[in-house]
């Protein structure tokens, strides 16, 4: 029985080492296979038999058996690739792919491409799975086949425009300042009802001006000027009308009172840009100065017929309507007073519904239409202090209508959604918005210039290129300049990856031994990082494989010697009978 057992033991050794050579050969054959994971055959001795049949202290083995072919899931080397869809997992995890019948498989081979339907597939046609994104680029929680869009991306109309510029504080006041000029007078103030009058600057409302008695000529003019400058404006945007107010008298006794503000400030429809003098009750000073019937001039600050000549600085910005059509809006800045600037926004008349705009806001020669206006005031340190609510002109009236939001105007573009709201953001003003007044438009003593122009609209666009980041997000770059997430690659990990079943084509299948997969995005839940333009090479160690092959070869040779030796001994045993 012992000699026969040695034969069986030798045969089992041949089988075991032959299987080991088969595993080693498979490893070497796949040393160039992307994402291949090598294997190693493991063995165990077969149950021993007892010779004495007693306590079992004398036992002999009856050979060896293959217990498992164990996979090696160590990280393979990474190599760069020119294909952006070539992806490698640096760390734990598997790609999830699905065949045409809906079967789910797992792979470390990241060789992907686009098929005729723009699906991301591996060389076997298995579709890559991932989290899908909606049309806004938001990644959803829905897992599906990763596909890149071939249709046109929807446009987005402009709602917010950011305009940061420096407006030269040394620029001259542009436009006509409202004033009133009386005829010859030789008035001298007195305590007997000849000390005050009412003044209304640029429609800010009537206020009382009071001076001392015994003044005449230049002294009276200086007192009036100082008294007006000391008044508090009802509308902060008309402050420059007071601070820049002047009063003068010529040799003939003609008094001239001039507002410090050119034209209107666009903060209130009541603004007239004029200086209006009235009697203060029974006081006779206004009459004695011959101001009640004085020659008045109404101020102007911007003319649609001459936008360049009635402004100090201008800049243009392209915006988009609801259809994705582009329109050029030009903003003209006019210095209306000390630290006060008006802005007027114009559009090409061919771009807007001119029937909604009054003729006073349209210039047929230049082909432009005024669509919005507002006022900016600055602090003495150059910071943006206040922003007025903007005036829109699609009301069919010359004066337009004042809105409720600073910088927000309403524009009617041809063929697009009506009443498109566009808010011009000039920075966070100190008083209006509680900001520092330095992160947008400023007024410093340097050349007027644009610092930054941005807006949130864009035209329709088609997919031009795409990239994959370390978190597996596939981002598409469109012809309209937009970058949008298209999908996010999902990875899976298993409690025991050694229990996975190899199914060929560089794929694995879940089994009872592997446990349930845990899915997630790269760099989360213990999953590795994704690298684009990179492939994971086979983790076969050729030197180690050669050493294992030599050991298996020697084992096979030695076991064959066991068989031949046992055969010779049995032959001698048979010869004893002879």
């Amino acid at each position: 029985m012992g000699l026969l057992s040695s034969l069986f033991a030798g045969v089992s050794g041949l089988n075991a080492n032959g299987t080991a050579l088969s595993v080693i050969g498979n490893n070497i054959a796949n040393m160039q296979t992307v994402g291949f994971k090598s294997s190693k055959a493991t063995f165990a001795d077969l149950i021993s038999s007892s010779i004495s049949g007693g306590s079992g202290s004398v036992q002999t083995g009856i050979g060896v058996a293959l217990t498992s072919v164990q996979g090696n899931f160590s990280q393979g080397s990474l190599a760069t690739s020119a294909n952006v869809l070539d992806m490698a997992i640096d760390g734990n995890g598997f790609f999830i792919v699905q065949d045409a019948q809906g079967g789910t498989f797992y792979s470390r081979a990241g060789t992907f491409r686009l098929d005729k339907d723009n699906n991301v597939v591996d060389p076997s046609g298995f579709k890559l799975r991932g989290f899908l994104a909606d049309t806004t680029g938001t990644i959803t929680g829905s897992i599906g086949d990763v596909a890149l869009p071939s249709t046109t991306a929807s446009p987005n109309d402009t709602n917010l425009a950011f305009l940061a510029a420096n407006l030269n504080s040394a620029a001259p006041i542009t436009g006509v300042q409202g004033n009133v000029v009386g005829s010859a007078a030789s008035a001298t103030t007195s305590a007997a009802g000849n000390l005050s009058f009412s003044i209304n600057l640029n429609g800010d409302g009537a206020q009382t001006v009071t001076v001392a008695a015994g003044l005449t000529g230049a002294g009276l003019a200086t007192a009036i000027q100082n008294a007006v400058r000391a008044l508090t404006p009802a509308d902060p945007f008309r402050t420059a009308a007071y601070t820049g107010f002047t009063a003068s008298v010529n040799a003939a006794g003609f008094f001239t009172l001039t507002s410090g503000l050119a034209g209107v400030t666009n903060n209130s429809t009541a603004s007239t840009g004029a200086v209006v003098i009235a009697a203060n009750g029974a006081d006779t000073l206004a009459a004695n100065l011959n101001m009640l019937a004085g020659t008045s001039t109404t101020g102007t600050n911007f003319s649609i017929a001459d936008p360049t000549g009635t402004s100090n600085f201008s800049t243009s910005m392209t915006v988009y309507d609801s259809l994705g059509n582009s329109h050029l809006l030009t903003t003209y800045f006019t210095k209306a007073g000390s630290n006060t600037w008006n802005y007027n926004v114009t559009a090409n008349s061919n771009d807007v519904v001119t029937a909604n705009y009054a003729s006073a806001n349209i210039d047929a020669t230049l082909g432009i239409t005024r669509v919005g206006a507002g006022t900016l005031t600055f602090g003495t340190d150059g910071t943006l202090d206040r922003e007025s609510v903007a005036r829109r002109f699609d009301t069919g009236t010359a004066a337009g209508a004042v809105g409720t939001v600073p910088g927000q105007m309403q524009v009617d573009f041809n063929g697009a959604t009506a009443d498109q709201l566009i808010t011009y953001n000039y920075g966070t003003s100190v008083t209006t918005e509680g900001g520092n007044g330095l992160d947008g438009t400023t007024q410093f003593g340097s050349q007027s210039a644009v610092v930054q122009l941005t807006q949130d609209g864009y035209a329709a666009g088609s997919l031009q290129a795409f990239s994959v980041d370390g978190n597996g997000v596939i981002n598409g770059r469109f012809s309209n300049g937009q970058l949008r997430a298209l999908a996010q690659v999902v990875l899976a990990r298993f409690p025991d990856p050694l229990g996975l079943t190899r199914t060929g084509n560089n794929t694995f299948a879940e089994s009872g031994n592997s446990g349930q997969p845990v899915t997630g995005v790269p760099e989360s839940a213990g999953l590795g990082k994704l690298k684009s333009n990179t492939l994971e090479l086979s983790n076969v160690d050729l030197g180690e494989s050669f050493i294992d092959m030599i050991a298996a070869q020697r084992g096979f040779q030695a076991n064959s010697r066991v068989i031949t030796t046992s055969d010779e001994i049995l032959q001698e045993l048979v010869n004893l009978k002879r």
Side-chain angles (χ1 to χ4, degrees):
M1 180 63 184
L3 289 176
L4 291 176
S5 296
S6 65
L7 284 173
F8 294 136
V11 170
S12 68
L14 290 178
N15 290 333
N17 285 282
T19 301
L21 283 170
S22 176
V23 172
I24 295 168
N26 183 64
N27 289 340
I28 295 174
N30 284 283
M31 64 176 297
Q32 295 296 331
T33 301
V34 173
F36 178 78
K37 297 303 178 185
S38 62
S39 301
K40 189 178 186 68
T42 60
F43 307 97
D45 62 335
L46 293 176
I47 188 169
S48 299
S49 61
S50 175
I51 295 176
S52 63
S55 63
S57 59
V58 181
Q59 295 179 314
T60 60
I62 58 174
V64 65
L66 177 72
T67 56
S68 69
V69 177
Q70 194 172 76
N72 172 20
F73 285 90
S74 64
Q75 179 74 46
S77 299
L78 302 180
T80 58
S81 165
N83 179 18
V84 70
L85 286 179
D86 283 345
M87 293 176 280
I89 303 172
D90 186 7
N92 193 16
F94 295 85
F95 296 107
I96 305 175
V97 294
Q98 195 171 78
D99 65 9
Q101 289 72 43
T104 300
F105 300 90
Y106 306 90
S107 176
R108 291 282 298 192
T111 310
F112 295 104
R113 60 179 176 83
L114 291 178
D115 66 8
K116 62 182 180 64
D117 298 318
N118 285 325
N119 294 306
V120 179
V121 298
D122 68 6
S124 301
F126 290 5
K127 296 177 181 178
L128 179 66
R129 304 284 284 175
F131 287 119
L132 305 181
D134 59 22
T135 56
T136 65
T138 302
I139 302 297
T140 67
S142 175
I143 296 180
D145 298 334
V146 175
L148 304 185
S150 58
T151 57
T152 301
S154 301
N156 184 65
D157 59 337
T158 300
N159 298 122
L160 180 65
F162 179 70
L163 196 164
N166 180 66
L167 303 178
N168 191 354
S169 62
I173 296 176
T174 301
V176 178
Q177 295 165 260
N179 62 15
V180 58
V181 182
S183 58
S186 57
T188 300
T189 59
S190 65
N194 187 30
L195 295 175
S196 65
F197 59 88
S198 173
I199 190 169
N200 188 334
L201 296 178
N202 294 77
D204 189 54
Q207 296 206 56
T208 301
V209 178
T210 303
V211 295
L215 298 176
T216 189
L220 177 56
T222 300
I224 293 173
Q225 177 175 294
N226 292 339
V228 172
R229 289 184 176 183
L231 297 174
T232 301
D235 179 2
F237 290 97
R238 293 181 175 84
T239 299
Y242 296 84
T243 58
F245 175 85
T246 60
S248 62
V249 61
N250 64 12
F254 285 66
F255 279 82
T256 300
L257 307 184
T258 306
S259 169
L261 194 63
V264 297
T265 62
N266 295 310
N267 189 45
S268 169
T269 56
S271 179
T272 63
V275 177
V276 179
I277 302 298
N280 179 31
D283 197 294
T284 60
L285 181 57
N288 292 338
L289 292 173
N290 294 326
M291 286 290 178
L292 296 180
T295 302
S296 297
T297 300
T298 299
T300 58
N301 67 77
F302 179 78
S303 172
I304 190 67
D306 185 20
T308 303
T310 55
S311 64
N312 302 85
F313 175 67
S314 65
T315 184
S316 298
M317 177 188 296
T318 299
V319 299
Y320 296 87
D321 62 25
S322 59
L323 298 175
N325 296 317
S326 63
H327 306 282
L328 191 67
L329 297 185
T330 302
T331 304
Y332 295 93
F333 292 93
T334 301
K335 189 173 184 180
S338 177
N339 301 325
T340 300
W341 293 72
N342 292 335
Y343 63 85
N344 289 270
V345 182
T346 66
N348 189 310
S349 294
N350 293 329
D351 290 351
V352 297
V353 184
T354 53
N356 295 344
Y357 295 86
S359 59
N361 293 311
I362 301 174
D363 186 85
T365 302
L366 297 177
I368 59 175
T369 300
R370 181 162 62 163
V371 296
T375 301
L376 305 176
T377 63
F378 297 87
T380 55
D381 57 356
T383 58
L384 179 61
D385 183 49
R386 296 177 184 270
E387 298 173 77
S388 75
V389 291
R391 186 193 301 271
R392 75 179 213 263
F393 294 98
D394 62 341
T395 59
T397 61
V402 175
T404 58
V405 178
Q408 186 181 78
M409 63 191 70
Q410 186 171 288
V411 186
D412 295 335
F413 290 115
N414 282 321
T417 301
D419 302 334
Q420 180 174 335
L421 295 176
I422 301 178
T423 301
Y424 270 68
N425 178 14
Y426 295 95
T428 53
S429 52
V430 176
T431 301
T432 305
E433 298 175 306
N436 59 21
L438 292 171
D439 57 355
T441 299
T442 56
Q443 182 196 239
F444 295 128
S446 59
Q447 189 70 28
S448 293
V450 173
V451 177
Q452 185 178 359
L453 285 176
T454 60
Q455 55 84 39
D456 61 356
Y458 47 84
S462 57
L463 184 65
Q464 299 291 299
F466 48 85
S467 60
V468 185
D469 65 18
N471 292 319
V473 178
I474 302 177
N475 293 298
R477 180 170 57 83
F478 292 82
S479 58
N480 56 11
Q482 296 303 301
L483 188 67
R484 193 183 80 200
L486 305 176
Q488 186 172 23
V489 177
V490 173
L491 300 181
R493 63 178 176 85
F494 292 86
D496 182 14
L498 300 181
L500 291 171
T501 301
R502 294 177 185 258
T503 54
N505 295 320
N506 288 341
T507 61
F508 300 86
E510 176 189 344
S511 72
N513 293 328
S514 66
Q516 295 287 324
V518 177
T519 59
V521 299
E523 292 193 289
S524 71
L527 296 167
K529 182 178 182 179
L530 206 64
K531 292 183 177 291
S532 179
N533 291 102
T534 307
L535 289 173
E536 182 185 9
L537 304 181
S538 169
N539 68 348
V540 173
D541 186 328
L542 191 58
E544 181 181 344
S545 296
F546 282 157
I547 293 172
D548 291 342
M549 184 168 58
I550 292 171
Q553 178 187 10
R554 295 306 181 201
F556 192 93
Q557 290 173 337
N559 278 281
S560 65
R561 290 289 183 268
V562 170
I563 293 174
T564 55
T565 301
S566 297
D567 177 59
E568 290 174 357
I569 294 174
L570 285 172
Q571 183 62 40
E572 290 296 325
L573 182 61
V574 171
N575 289 338
L576 289 177
K577 183 178 182 295
R578 297 178 183 174

